[in-house]
Amino acid sequence: MLIPNSPINSGFILIVDDNPTNLSVLAQILNQADLSIRIATDGESALELLAEDHELPALIILDVQMPGIDGFETCYRLKSNPITYDIPVIFMTAASDVTSKVKGLSLGAVDYITKPFESEEVLARVRIHLQIQQLTKKQQQWNQELEQKLAEHINVLQKTQVQLVQQEKFAAMGQLIAGVAHEINNPITCIVNNIPPAYEYVKNLIAVIQLYQQYYSQPVPEIQTALEELDIEFASDDLFKLLNSMKLSSERIQDISVSLRNFYRSDISTKIAVNLHECLDSTLLILRHRLKALGDRPAIEVLKEYGELPKIYCYPGLLNQVFMNLIANAIDAVEEVQHPQIRIFTQVIGSQVLITIADNGVGMTEEMTHKLFQPLFTTKPFGKGTGLGLSIARQIIDEKHHGQLKVSSEYGKGSEFIIFLPLS
């Protein structure tokens, strides 16, 4: 509880008046109440004092009638300056000068002191406004602390929401991909395993046909007609080409199946040693269909500049998710580029591994890069992005792997995402 007559330690009080008698009386009243004061004899010197002094007064007592700029103009300038705007101003006016009182209050003054001075009235008005000033500062401080705590809680809540979305999305996707990969694996394994013996059977059958042609060069007319219609030599050559093509295609499907299983390794709850280049290659294999030419857009060129990297202990499924997000974003960024290009660079730097994924797309403004990793912020058109991908990616790199994920971009000159991962 505030006690009206208790001493107040609120800095000094600035008295501005050109009348020596008024200055003397006010100084005596305030000094007797243990209040520190400073004096200015006109508005200009008061403003100069405030501009030169690093310490601002807790309160200003300002006379209305002064030579040069009067009290009203001085108050107006004080309230126009953001540095002195909050300093409470008390005007000194004649007891019957109602017009001056109203004008002073409209300019931002908090109160007025009537002339001739009554010491108890002066002290009461000064003390109450010093107390109000103290309470205002405390309230501002409490508000700032409250805003900071609220921002911290919101940040924690957003991170928690992003983690929950990430876990649910990744688990669901992992189960789906694992199921599809499992269903593909059995029939494709059967095809891959059966192609070599089928190749041998065809080879042997063609060899037998060639023996017949060698020793029975004049077959019966019916067989001769069938051989001519079949064009046995062309069919023999083309059949081997078809088998080779089937072999390559089935092996590619098998590679994709393995890549999908490796990509979504959601069952791994501890870090394991992983070849990062294999992770990047698996991601590129899965996104291969998006790298091909599409309509007027040419095929996207991928430049792989891999350095010598040791295996790194990490969560491979989560790290693959980061690579997928960054490369998919790079593909989106170069959709309108005449010669689209994505560059992936890896290198060991000291005790860290550097991975950069750069594109020659449209780039981003500085304002966009500052917001890029915030949850729900997206640069993509409505309906094409959730705004969670990069936020989740940063959490995976920073919190799960104790690394760093940064972005460097300039509008019109492309973007580069930079990942640092610790070796140990």
Side-chain angles (χ1 to χ4, degrees), residues 14-49:
L14 177 62
I15 306 173
V16 187
D17 197 338
D18 64 319
N19 189 314
T21 302
N22 291 342
L23 291 174
S24 177
V25 173
L26 283 174
Q28 185 177 1
I29 293 172
L30 297 176
N31 283 331
Q32 286 178 351
D34 294 328
L35 295 171
S36 176
I37 65 169
R38 293 186 189 177
I39 291 173
T41 57
D42 55 52
E44 291 180 352
S45 60
L47 294 173
E48 290 175 1
L49 175 67

Side-chain angles (χ1 to χ4, degrees), residues 95-138:
S96 60
D97 191 3
V98 177
T99 303
S100 296
K101 294 175 183 177
V102 173
K103 185 175 181 180
L105 293 172
S106 66
L107 286 171
V110 295
D111 207 345
Y112 59 87
I113 298 172
T114 58
K115 301 176 186 178
F117 303 122
E118 291 290 339
S119 60
E120 291 184 359
E121 179 188 1
V122 171
L123 285 177
R125 293 182 183 277
V126 167
R127 285 179 182 278
I128 192 64
H129 288 295
L130 289 176
Q131 291 172 347
I132 291 173
Q133 181 76 341
Q134 280 187 326
L135 289 174
T136 301
K137 288 182 178 179
K138 286 183 179 179

Side-chain angles (χ1 to χ4, degrees), residues 403-419:
Q404 285 182 305
L405 173 58
K406 300 179 180 180
V407 62
S408 175
S409 184
E410 185 176 348
Y411 190 73
K413 295 187 177 180
S415 303
E416 181 179 50
F417 286 87
I418 304 144
I419 301 172

Side-chain angles (χ1 to χ4, degrees), residues 278-291:
E278 291 180 357
C279 293
L280 288 165
D281 289 340
S282 293
T283 305
L284 289 171
L285 182 63
I286 294 170
L287 290 172
R288 185 175 176 180
H289 68 287
R290 294 199 58 197
L291 298 171

Side-chain angles (χ1 to χ4, degrees), residues 52-70:
E52 295 172 357
D53 202 335
H54 295 295
E55 183 182 1
L56 294 176
L59 180 72
I60 298 175
I61 300 176
L62 183 60
D63 188 27
V64 173
Q65 300 295 333
M66 292 185 296
I69 61 172
D70 61 11

Side-chain angles (χ1 to χ4, degrees), residues 264-316:
Y264 284 96
R265 300 169 80 172
S266 57
D267 58 326
I268 298 176
S269 58
T270 59
K271 292 182 179 180
I272 63 171
V274 171
N275 184 328
L276 293 181
H277 292 158
E278 291 180 357
C279 293
L280 288 165
D281 289 340
S282 293
T283 305
L284 289 171
L285 182 63
I286 294 170
L287 290 172
R288 185 175 176 180
H289 68 287
R290 294 199 58 197
L291 298 171
K292 295 179 179 179
L294 180 63
D296 295 333
R297 193 213 72 193
I300 299 172
E301 182 183 12
V302 178
L303 303 177
K304 295 194 294 185
E305 301 176 10
Y306 291 171
E308 293 291 331
L309 299 186
K311 287 188 175 183
I312 287 188
Y313 280 89
C314 64
Y315 300 102

